[in-house]
Amino acid sequence: MQPQQVFRAYESTISIEEDVQRTRFCRQCGEPCVSEVVEGGIRSTCTACLAVQYKNPQPAVAVLIVDGGRFVLGKRLSKSLGHGQWCLPCGYVEFYEDYLSAAVREVKEETTLDIRVQSIISVVTNYLSPNIHSLVTVLLAEVIGGELQAADGMEEVAWFPYTGDFPEMAFEADTHIISRYFETDLPGAPVDAAFASS
Ligand SMILES: [Zn+2]
């Protein structure tokens, strides 16, 4: 099973130039922006303070919690992206937070489980919607405490045996990540133990 690390959930209907023009006001000072070529790409630049309005994907983490041949999925609440569908516990990394602590926190918030992160098993780019492009570090983890219970952002959480079949999944990347983990002897990259559990 070959690695796949770029997933596209939509086809863009506007050009990069048109998208850049949507950033009309400076995020730093609030003055109007213009589009111009900066560092080889078209970008929005402030007419007052000259700040370039870089647009970047959002860093996130997803966690494959495994116990023998089974793994944890959560069913997303109806207000969120991928509502009513299943996904790995996941979330965005906060500005003042390292990505391993983000993974431990997100799992605790969504499932109430305490985990220890064991390894990095992939990094994926998700083009989820015109406004949401994520860069997701995918981590393998084991449970070290707590009871599996649906919490923040989850309607339901459950252990699933790996059979190759999945419930309706919110993100194509998750299906690939889980299948690849169970169907290959994938050695993950080690993680910094000082941040791997709470
Ligand atoms: Zn400005």
Side-chain angles (χ1 to χ4, degrees):
M1 189 172 195
Q2 293 301 310
Q4 186 184 349
Q5 291 165 338
V6 180
F7 297 87
R8 201 173 279 279
Y10 76 101
E11 287 305 325
S12 187
T13 54
I14 65 166
S15 66
I16 293 173
E17 288 76 7
E18 288 170 303
D19 189 42
V20 166
Q21 282 165 11
R22 289 178 168 183
T23 304
R24 295 170 56 206
F25 298 100
C26 178
R27 286 192 291 265
Q28 291 187 25
C29 76
E31 293 297 314
C33 290
V34 291
S35 296
E36 57 187 17
V37 174
V38 178
E39 295 167 15
I42 185 148
R43 304 177 204 279
S44 186
T45 305
C46 180
T47 53
C49 78
L50 308 181
V52 180
Q53 314 293 302
Y54 291 102
K55 190 171 182 182
N56 304 103
Q58 290 138 321
V61 286
V63 187
L64 177 55
I65 304 165
V66 169
D67 173 32
R70 61 184 194 153
F71 61 96
V72 171
L73 290 178
K75 189 176 186 187
R76 301 171 68 84
L77 278 180
S78 56
K79 277 175 292 184
S80 63
L81 185 76
H83 55 86
Q85 299 173 320
W86 295 81
C87 67
L88 294 173
C90 60
Y92 292 109
V93 181
E94 303 269 8
F95 191 80
Y96 295 103
E97 179 179 55
D98 65 88
Y99 74 97
L100 292 168
S101 300
V104 170
R105 174 185 56 75
E106 286 288 350
V107 169
K108 183 77 176 174
E109 285 175 3
E110 294 181 350
T111 72
T112 80
L113 290 173
D114 296 310
I115 56 159
R116 178 179 294 116
V117 177
Q118 296 165 301
S119 61
I120 301 164
I121 53 174
S122 196
V123 177
V124 302
T125 285
N126 278 321
Y127 297 108
L128 294 172
S129 77
N131 289 317
I132 307 176
H133 292 177
S134 63
L135 176 66
V136 187
T137 303
V138 186
L139 301 161
L140 180 68
E142 62 178 344
V143 176
I144 56 170
E147 292 281 326
L148 183 62
Q149 285 177 36
D152 201 21
M154 292 296 176
E155 184 180 309
E156 204 178 324
V157 287
W159 286 103
F160 285 78
Y162 181 72
T163 60
D165 291 327
F166 291 92
E168 198 181 357
M169 298 292 282
F171 309 117
E172 187 191 353
D174 286 358
T175 310
H176 175 81
I177 288 158
I178 297 162
S179 299
R180 187 150 188 270
Y181 172 78
F182 283 104
E183 291 182 13
T184 65
D185 288 320
L186 183 68
V191 296
D192 185 335
F195 300 92
S197 59
S198 53

